[in-house]
Amino acid sequence: MKKLIDKLYKENYLDKTELFYLINNINEKDKEYLIQRAHETRMKVYGSTVFMRGLVEFTNYCKRNCVYCGIRSSNKNSDRYRLSLEDIMSACEEGNRLGYKTFVLQGGEDDYYTDEKIVDIVSEIKDRFKTSAVTLSIGEKSYESYRKYYEAGADRYLLRHETASKELYEKLHPNSSFENRRECLWNLKKIGYQVGAGFMVGLPGQTKEDYVKDMHFLKELNPEMVGIGPFISHKDTPLRNEKNGTLEETILMLALIRLFLPEVLLPATTALGTIDPVGREKGLKAGANVVMPNLSPTSVREKYSLYNGKICTGDEAAECRRCIEGRINRAGFCVDMSRGDNINWRRK
Ligand code: 5AD
Ligand code: FES
């Protein structure tokens, strides 16, 4: 096992048989060793810095119906909201005052925000905060739409592949195409975005073979960012009675990704902080190097409910900034408020 971990550390690759063997047979001691190797890799590439992104959840309307998600279209208990351009700008203003240099605009797939509206929002933020990066996370769009947002100044795009198992993907995403989602990711890369893909851990029915596929898909796509978080059940979804993903499994996936893609930007996700009070700190120690505190107006925080028990709801952006910085420092890392681009990236 140690030899296999060292091979992964040196070559940043294991074939499917080796990786499956590793995931299936790793014991507690080996896990410690793997995490140590992942941490070493992170220190070599990015040092002890943790990049901060300000997250603005600007709409919880969504036309899709992903079975795990609290804002799925058929959830009639979801209290829907949309932020205006002005609301979004004041959230970014607050973020700017707190030093944020990256704004992540995330929302459901909401056709109210036409391409024109998205272009206006992106242009306005880029114009007002000239040295800041804008990240979009608004789902599957056409090549042409992605190109328009990029021309307007969007720098990055987050679109998790959710799972690399076609069968599981199709079970969880009614009326959606596994192939189209992957196509979107390749399109985003082609246009020139810094791309974030990623998956959930501990989905009902997900197997160790599926994680092998996730790792290999990500190795092939070679995205600049990877978002990995545990599945957490939401009471208003068909998966309400399913077990959550575990801390241990999520940490294992974070450490593996750090070794497969040494230069990737890897958030310690809010979902990880939700299943364990020190989940994000443990993530940072296993190779994660990004956190994404919330800048959304407190009045809408609780409404952007993808899963239950989400942390930070009701906390002011400034408070959250202070809290998270303290946590990062106590975990032995330091906050970096710069744009935090992937070290390999140049805008086309
Ligand atoms: N548990 C964990 N993560 C979830 N997401 C959506 N619903 C859940 C849930 N119930 C994740 C998806 C999506 C991201 C924005 O949030 O991976 O891409
Ligand atoms: Fe947001 Fe602690 S991380 S309040």
Side-chain angles (χ1 to χ4, degrees):
M1 184 57 75
K2 187 155 176 290
K3 259 169 102 182
L4 212 48
I5 295 171
D6 284 333
K7 180 173 181 193
L8 176 57
Y9 173 76
K10 285 200 195 89
E11 298 174 14
N12 310 120
Y13 187 77
L14 292 178
D15 70 25
K16 289 197 165 173
T17 318
E18 293 167 326
L19 182 56
F20 183 72
Y21 178 85
L22 185 152
I23 295 176
N24 236 345
N25 295 288
I26 193 161
N27 64 27
E28 288 311 307
K29 264 241 119 6
D30 304 327
K31 264 188 206 167
E32 257 174 53
Y33 185 65
L34 176 82
I35 289 168
Q36 181 201 320
R37 287 307 217 177
H39 178 69
E40 257 175 68
T41 304
R42 167 263 181 70
M43 292 301 284
K44 257 200 308 206
V45 182
Y46 286 103
S48 62
T49 58
V50 176
F51 298 109
M52 306 279 278
R53 324 294 197 194
L55 178 65
V56 183
E57 298 155 334
F58 69 97
T59 173
N60 69 354
Y61 282 83
C62 192
K63 66 181 179 195
R64 300 182 49 135
N65 207 22
C66 311
V67 298
Y68 47 81
C69 184
I71 65 167
R72 65 203 302 268
S73 55
S74 68
N75 178 11
K76 297 297 175 276
N77 290 330
S78 168
D79 187 1
R80 308 281 172 174
Y81 74 90
R82 291 185 174 113
L83 298 187
S84 66
L85 176 62
E86 291 67 38
D87 297 333
I88 296 171
M89 289 312 291
S90 41
C92 295
E93 278 295 347
E94 170 73 356
N96 182 62
R97 270 193 296 277
L98 295 168
Y100 288 96
K101 286 271 174 288
T102 294
F103 301 108
V104 182
L105 299 176
Q106 186 172 86
E109 288 192 17
D110 180 0
D111 289 335
Y112 167 85
Y113 295 91
T114 55
D115 285 354
E116 213 187 337
K117 283 206 179 77
I118 297 293
V119 162
D120 282 348
I121 294 167
V122 172
S123 318
E124 191 75 22
I125 299 176
K126 291 296 284 194
D127 194 49
R128 176 75 188 76
F129 312 108
K130 294 216 160 42
T131 57
S132 292
V134 170
T135 306
L136 290 174
S137 178
I138 54 176
E140 294 177 35
K141 308 275 177 182
S142 67
Y143 185 92
E144 206 32 44
S145 298
Y146 285 152
R147 208 190 47 76
K148 284 184 198 157
Y149 313 153
Y150 190 75
E151 293 303 311
D155 302 276
R156 311 181 184 138
Y157 204 103
L158 308 179
L159 184 78
R160 290 192 181 171
H161 65 280
E162 310 297 1
T163 172
S165 153
K166 180 170 159 66
E167 198 193 334
L168 182 59
Y169 186 91
E170 287 173 352
K171 269 194 210 143
L172 297 172
H173 304 91
N175 313 318
S176 305
S177 155
F178 177 74
E179 288 76 21
N180 190 62
R181 198 160 185 91
R182 292 181 164 220
E183 183 70 30
C184 285
L185 285 164
W186 290 110
N187 286 344
L188 289 162
K189 286 211 56 155
K190 198 155 139 199
I191 292 166
Y193 283 96
Q194 296 181 59
V195 173
F199 60 102
M200 281 174 283
V201 177
L203 287 161
Q206 197 172 25
T207 65
K208 295 192 168 64
E209 282 92 340
D210 296 342
Y211 298 138
V212 172
K213 288 183 194 160
D214 286 312
M215 292 296 151
H216 274 236
F217 172 65
L218 289 168
K219 185 72 187 176
E220 186 196 343
L221 181 69
N222 191 27
E224 282 72 24
M225 303 160 289
V226 170
I228 301 176
F231 158 73
I232 301 175
S233 69
H234 188 290
K235 63 180 175 29
D236 298 321
T237 67
L239 303 184
R240 63 181 66 82
N241 294 322
E242 300 292 338
K243 279 211 277 302
N244 292 343
T246 65
L247 176 78
E248 291 66 33
E249 231 176 0
T250 310
I251 295 288
L252 174 62
M253 294 302 138
L254 288 171
L256 285 173
I257 271 300
R258 173 56 67 205
L259 293 169
F260 267 87
L261 300 170
E263 286 144 2
V264 82
L265 290 159
L266 188 63
T269 55
T270 310
L272 190 57
T274 301
I275 56 162
D276 188 291
V278 288
R280 283 178 301 183
E281 286 85 340
K282 288 183 176 155
L284 294 174
K285 290 176 182 170
N289 66 335
V290 173
V291 291
M292 298 169 65
N294 204 318
L295 294 177
S296 310
T298 45
S299 57
V300 304
R301 289 274 181 98
E302 277 170 41
K303 298 177 185 164
Y304 198 82
S305 167
L306 307 186
Y307 45 82
N308 289 133
K310 208 165 137 191
I311 46 171
C312 280
T313 47
D315 290 315
E316 295 293 341
E319 225 173 277
C320 182
R321 164 81 171 75
R322 258 197 310 279
C323 162
I324 194 72
E325 179 155 11
R327 283 166 168 262
I328 290 168
N329 293 152
R330 286 190 295 276
F333 300 95
C334 51
V335 162
D336 186 325
M337 293 302 284
S338 71
R339 272 175 54 123
D341 290 299
N342 181 291
I343 54 169
N344 292 319
W345 182 81
R346 296 274 171 284
R347 189 173 171 103
K348 280 187 200 162

PDB file of all heavy atoms in Angstrom, residues 280 312 315 319-320 323-324 327, ligand 2:
ATOM      1  N   ARG A 280     -13.923  21.354   7.397  1.00  0.00           N
ATOM      2  CA  ARG A 280     -13.119  22.155   6.466  1.00  0.00           C
ATOM      3  C   ARG A 280     -11.643  22.173   6.870  1.00  0.00           C
ATOM      4  O   ARG A 280     -10.755  22.071   6.033  1.00  0.00           O
ATOM      5  CB  ARG A 280     -13.676  23.577   6.369  1.00  0.00           C
ATOM      6  CG  ARG A 280     -14.925  23.645   5.507  1.00  0.00           C
ATOM      7  CD  ARG A 280     -15.491  25.026   5.445  1.00  0.00           C
ATOM      8  NE  ARG A 280     -15.830  25.511   6.788  1.00  0.00           N
ATOM      9  CZ  ARG A 280     -16.396  26.685   7.027  1.00  0.00           C
ATOM     10  NH1 ARG A 280     -16.650  27.513   6.042  1.00  0.00           N
ATOM     11  NH2 ARG A 280     -16.699  27.034   8.258  1.00  0.00           N
ATOM     12  N   CYS A 312     -23.224  28.650   8.696  1.00  0.00           N
ATOM     13  CA  CYS A 312     -23.028  30.068   8.396  1.00  0.00           C
ATOM     14  C   CYS A 312     -24.312  30.820   8.121  1.00  0.00           C
ATOM     15  O   CYS A 312     -24.255  32.039   7.964  1.00  0.00           O
ATOM     16  CB  CYS A 312     -22.124  30.302   7.173  1.00  0.00           C
ATOM     17  SG  CYS A 312     -20.406  30.145   7.541  1.00  0.00           S
ATOM     18  N   ASP A 315     -25.142  34.546   9.367  1.00  0.00           N
ATOM     19  CA  ASP A 315     -23.945  35.281   9.756  1.00  0.00           C
ATOM     20  C   ASP A 315     -23.625  36.376   8.745  1.00  0.00           C
ATOM     21  O   ASP A 315     -23.721  36.170   7.552  1.00  0.00           O
ATOM     22  CB  ASP A 315     -22.742  34.349   9.872  1.00  0.00           C
ATOM     23  CG  ASP A 315     -22.870  33.432  11.069  1.00  0.00           C
ATOM     24  OD1 ASP A 315     -23.237  33.920  12.142  1.00  0.00           O
ATOM     25  OD2 ASP A 315     -22.620  32.231  10.905  1.00  0.00           O
ATOM     26  N   GLU A 319     -18.423  39.000   9.708  1.00  0.00           N
ATOM     27  CA  GLU A 319     -18.280  38.042  10.798  1.00  0.00           C
ATOM     28  C   GLU A 319     -17.702  36.723  10.278  1.00  0.00           C
ATOM     29  O   GLU A 319     -16.801  36.131  10.866  1.00  0.00           O
ATOM     30  CB  GLU A 319     -19.684  37.755  11.305  1.00  0.00           C
ATOM     31  CG  GLU A 319     -19.889  37.736  12.778  1.00  0.00           C
ATOM     32  CD  GLU A 319     -21.379  37.606  13.031  1.00  0.00           C
ATOM     33  OE1 GLU A 319     -22.057  38.657  12.997  1.00  0.00           O
ATOM     34  OE2 GLU A 319     -21.851  36.465  13.198  1.00  0.00           O
ATOM     35  N   CYS A 320     -18.256  36.285   9.163  1.00  0.00           N
ATOM     36  CA  CYS A 320     -17.856  35.032   8.551  1.00  0.00           C
ATOM     37  C   CYS A 320     -16.390  35.091   8.125  1.00  0.00           C
ATOM     38  O   CYS A 320     -15.623  34.162   8.327  1.00  0.00           O
ATOM     39  CB  CYS A 320     -18.754  34.764   7.344  1.00  0.00           C
ATOM     40  SG  CYS A 320     -18.407  33.214   6.538  1.00  0.00           S
ATOM     41  N   CYS A 323     -14.296  34.818  11.227  1.00  0.00           N
ATOM     42  CA  CYS A 323     -14.389  33.468  11.772  1.00  0.00           C
ATOM     43  C   CYS A 323     -13.543  32.496  10.963  1.00  0.00           C
ATOM     44  O   CYS A 323     -12.733  31.749  11.497  1.00  0.00           O
ATOM     45  CB  CYS A 323     -15.854  33.027  11.802  1.00  0.00           C
ATOM     46  SG  CYS A 323     -16.077  31.256  11.961  1.00  0.00           S
ATOM     47  N   ILE A 324     -13.718  32.555   9.649  1.00  0.00           N
ATOM     48  CA  ILE A 324     -13.021  31.585   8.808  1.00  0.00           C
ATOM     49  C   ILE A 324     -11.515  31.826   8.816  1.00  0.00           C
ATOM     50  O   ILE A 324     -10.730  30.883   8.822  1.00  0.00           O
ATOM     51  CB  ILE A 324     -13.600  31.559   7.365  1.00  0.00           C
ATOM     52  CG1 ILE A 324     -13.125  30.331   6.594  1.00  0.00           C
ATOM     53  CG2 ILE A 324     -13.275  32.802   6.586  1.00  0.00           C
ATOM     54  CD1 ILE A 324     -13.743  29.062   7.035  1.00  0.00           C
ATOM     55  N   ARG A 327     -10.152  30.274  11.897  1.00  0.00           N
ATOM     56  CA  ARG A 327     -10.122  28.814  11.761  1.00  0.00           C
ATOM     57  C   ARG A 327      -8.944  28.362  10.895  1.00  0.00           C
ATOM     58  O   ARG A 327      -8.268  27.385  11.203  1.00  0.00           O
ATOM     59  CB  ARG A 327     -11.416  28.328  11.107  1.00  0.00           C
ATOM     60  CG  ARG A 327     -12.598  28.297  12.049  1.00  0.00           C
ATOM     61  CD  ARG A 327     -13.864  28.146  11.247  1.00  0.00           C
ATOM     62  NE  ARG A 327     -14.999  27.837  12.093  1.00  0.00           N
ATOM     63  CZ  ARG A 327     -15.485  26.617  12.291  1.00  0.00           C
ATOM     64  NH1 ARG A 327     -14.954  25.574  11.680  1.00  0.00           N
ATOM     65  NH2 ARG A 327     -16.508  26.432  13.078  1.00  0.00           N
TER      66      ARG A 327
HETATM   67 FE1  FES B   2     -18.686  31.597   8.190  1.00  0.00          FE
HETATM   68 FE2  FES B   2     -17.538  30.722  10.457  1.00  0.00          FE
HETATM   69  S1  FES B   2     -16.968  30.283   8.431  1.00  0.00           S
HETATM   70  S2  FES B   2     -19.219  32.064  10.248  1.00  0.00           S
END
